[in-house]
């Protein structure tokens, strides 16, 4: 049985989560008690991953409205509206690429728009709780549809008496969502059903979400996995050691282009060259109907220090920093550095989008159809 804790959980009226910057070395729980703390958690990447960012932002709005209620600012419609607008704008400005952030904020904003300001705090909290529950269910459904999409490959691996070999990039697992994850949801379900799987985990420089986070959660769940350097995937594909690639995503454009962690595009190109399926798992909330193609998505540029340094645990017992998490410089001082955090995988390289409503082709037409169903 796969055992994974929720990544963000509620105790009474408290919002709790892991500080992901410290994983896998320290398992530290943090409480988000103000909207500013929620915004800080997203900006500093204590929480990260598109769906988790969306739910955290939703709770951020709810926490902000709770504060406004406490300070009497919800008593007049004007001050209530000004306060709400400020909180929403600040949360939305934390990270630019994942569309789930604006989606989470707008879900709560639209819910309170139907209510009197005096009820906003209660309504916002209830809506954030709904989104929290819905994310876990959505991921379970993505897991189910993923297994259906993989059926033929699972049968082939079974027939050859070997595990299904899956390659993934970054972390689109439980830690990127409320629970289960998107790309890893089918992996966990397969493991739970006794289907033999093995995951190649791209380390995912510069922040190493694969090596630190994906490996941590797969290990906790007992799923066999191997961490590889980002550049190893092509060789493994060439040698026939990869049955399929699956990644999550931060935004799907209206034409099916996929924006995900930097390096995803190269894996998609390699997969195409070797006729290996390249799946993208995403909740429908990750589809952005207002952005025509991937090139129109704002790609977050992160600090040069993430490329200049690597972070890890000091294991040298003789060091004064023994067991401390430290950054070490790996780039000469003075060299220019560029750090785009995401890239664009053209729709043509994507075998399909695995959503909570089923697997659809990465095409404008299929996307329009699924969005219409969602709106109905
Ligand atoms: O910069 P991050 O760690 O927030 O990037 C995360 C990713 O790129 C994930 O693949 C994506 O958000 C999908 S999470 C289900």
């Amino acid at each position: 049985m796969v055992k994974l804790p929720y990544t963000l959980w509620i105790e009474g009226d408290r919002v709790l989560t892991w500080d992901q910057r410290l994983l896998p070395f320290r398992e530290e729980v943090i409480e988000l008690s103000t909207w500013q703390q929620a915004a800080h958690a997203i900006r500093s990447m204590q929480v990260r991953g598109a769906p988790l960012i969306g739910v955290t932002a939703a709770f951020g709005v709810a926490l902000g409205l709770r504060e406004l209620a406490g300070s009497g600012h919800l008593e007049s419609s004007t001050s209530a509206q000004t306060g709400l607008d400020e909180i929403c704008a600040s949360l939305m400005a934390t990270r630019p690429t994942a569309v789930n952030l604006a989606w989470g904020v707008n879900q709560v904003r639209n819910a309170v728009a139907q209510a009197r300001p005096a009820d906003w705090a209660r309504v916002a909290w209830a809506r954030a709780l709904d989104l929290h529950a819905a994310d876990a269910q959505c991921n379970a459904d993505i897991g189910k549809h993923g297994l259906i999409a993989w059926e033929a490959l699972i049968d082939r691996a079974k027939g050859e008496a070997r595990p299904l070999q899956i390659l993934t990039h970054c972390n689109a697992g439980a830690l990127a969502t409320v629970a289960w994850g998107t790309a890893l949801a089918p992996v966990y379900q397969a493991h739970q059903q006794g289907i033999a799987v093995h995951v190649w985990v791209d380390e995912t420089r510069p922040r190493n979400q694969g090596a630190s986070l994906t490996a941590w959660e797969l290990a906790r769940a007992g799923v066999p996995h191997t961490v590889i350097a980002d550049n190893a995937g092509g060789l493994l594909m060439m040698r026939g050691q990869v049955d399929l690639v699956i990644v999550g995503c931060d935004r799907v454009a209206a034409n099916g282009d996929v924006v995900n962690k930097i390096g995803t595009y190269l894996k998609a190109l390699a997969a195409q060259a070797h006729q290996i399926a390249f799946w993208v798992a995403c909740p429908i909330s990750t589809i952005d109907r207002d952005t025509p193609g991937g090139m129109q998505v704002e790609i977050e540029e992160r600090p040069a220090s993430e490329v200049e340094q690597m972070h890890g645990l000091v294991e040298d017992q003789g060091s004064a920093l023994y067991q401390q998490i430290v950054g070490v410089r790996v780039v000469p001082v003075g060299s220019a550095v560029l750090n785009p955090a995401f890239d664009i995988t053209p729709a043509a390289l994507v075998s399909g989008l695995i959503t909570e409503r089923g697997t659809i082709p990465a095409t404008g037409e299929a996307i329009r159809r699924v969005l219409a169903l969602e709106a109905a």
Side-chain angles (χ1 to χ4, degrees):
M1 177 60 141
V2 173
K3 281 211 187 82
L4 277 173
Y6 268 39
T7 299
L8 183 140
W9 62 101
I10 308 302
E11 283 177 14
D13 61 357
R14 303 172 68 207
V15 182
L16 301 164
T17 188
W18 303 98
D19 184 344
Q20 297 195 27
R21 297 172 313 178
L22 305 178
L23 293 173
F25 310 115
R26 280 212 287 277
E27 298 179 3
E28 218 168 275
V29 172
I30 51 169
E31 178 172 357
L32 309 178
S33 25
T34 63
W35 72 265
Q36 290 92 339
Q37 284 172 357
H40 171 75
I42 297 169
R43 196 178 310 105
S44 68
M45 295 183 68
Q46 286 175 312
V47 301
R48 29 67 53 206
L52 184 62
I53 290 173
V55 173
T56 305
F59 277 108
V61 180
L63 289 168
L65 290 176
R66 188 191 287 169
E67 282 164 63
L68 292 184
S71 57
H73 282 86
L74 297 186
E75 282 157 23
S76 108
S77 307
T78 320
S79 65
Q81 194 60 52
T82 310
L84 175 63
D85 289 347
E86 189 200 324
I87 292 163
C88 292
S90 303
L91 282 162
M92 284 204 210
T94 48
R95 291 190 75 190
T97 303
V99 75
N100 311 60
L101 172 57
W103 177 86
V105 167
N106 285 330
Q107 287 289 317
V108 178
R109 203 208 297 248
N110 294 342
V112 302
Q114 325 284 329
R116 295 174 309 133
D119 293 331
W120 279 7
R122 183 183 52 76
V123 170
W125 184 255
R127 187 68 193 125
L129 284 178
D130 286 348
L131 298 182
H132 183 262
D135 188 58
Q137 182 57 50
C138 165
N139 297 334
D141 291 342
I142 287 175
K144 188 179 74 189
H145 293 300
L147 279 193
I148 295 169
W150 297 355
E151 218 165 66
L153 290 172
I154 292 171
D155 286 347
R156 191 178 76 185
K158 267 190 196 155
E160 293 171 6
R162 60 169 182 82
L164 181 73
Q165 297 281 5
I166 299 155
L167 186 141
T168 194
H169 191 68
C170 193
N171 173 263
L175 285 168
T177 63
V178 167
W180 294 103
T182 58
L184 293 191
V187 174
Y188 289 129
Q189 289 197 12
H191 183 63
Q192 201 154 19
Q193 292 175 24
I195 299 166
V197 290
H198 169 264
V199 185
W200 298 109
V201 179
D202 280 356
E203 63 176 344
T204 318
R205 272 286 278 154
R207 288 186 68 95
N208 289 330
Q209 288 95 327
S212 319
L213 304 178
T214 301
W216 179 79
E217 62 169 85
L218 289 174
R220 278 178 78 117
V223 177
H225 63 282
T226 305
V227 178
I228 52 173
D230 286 327
N231 299 324
L235 174 70
L236 299 180
M237 290 184 203
M238 186 179 276
R239 284 179 176 163
Q241 290 172 284
V242 178
D243 291 308
L244 65 96
V245 181
I246 184 157
V247 295
C249 71
D250 287 79
R251 198 182 291 232
V252 180
N255 68 347
D257 288 352
V258 164
V259 178
N260 190 48
K261 182 53 56 192
I262 192 80
T264 302
Y265 174 43
L266 288 177
K267 290 299 136 72
L269 284 172
Q272 188 198 42
H274 296 285
Q275 283 118 48
I276 290 169
F278 184 90
W279 297 104
V280 174
C282 61
I284 288 167
S285 55
T286 305
I287 300 174
D288 178 7
R289 71 174 81 216
D290 298 327
T291 301
M295 286 295 279
Q296 282 83 49
V297 176
E298 180 181 350
I299 301 290
E300 178 180 10
E301 281 217 10
R302 297 200 47 89
S305 58
E306 290 182 350
V307 175
E308 290 166 342
Q309 296 181 6
M310 296 208 26
H311 279 81
L313 192 74
V314 176
E315 289 196 306
D316 171 5
Q317 294 200 17
S319 164
L321 296 173
Y322 179 57
Q323 293 296 305
Q324 308 257 348
I325 301 170
V326 299
V328 293
R329 179 170 268 279
V330 292
V331 174
V333 175
S335 288
V337 163
L338 181 71
N339 186 15
F342 300 94
D343 64 21
I344 302 148
T345 300
L349 298 181
V350 176
S351 305
L353 304 172
I354 303 174
T355 78
E356 66 272 34
R357 281 188 178 266
T359 299
I360 61 167
T363 61
E365 197 192 322
I367 285 174
R368 276 192 297 282
R369 224 177 302 123
V370 82
L371 289 178
L373 271 179
E374 192 70 1

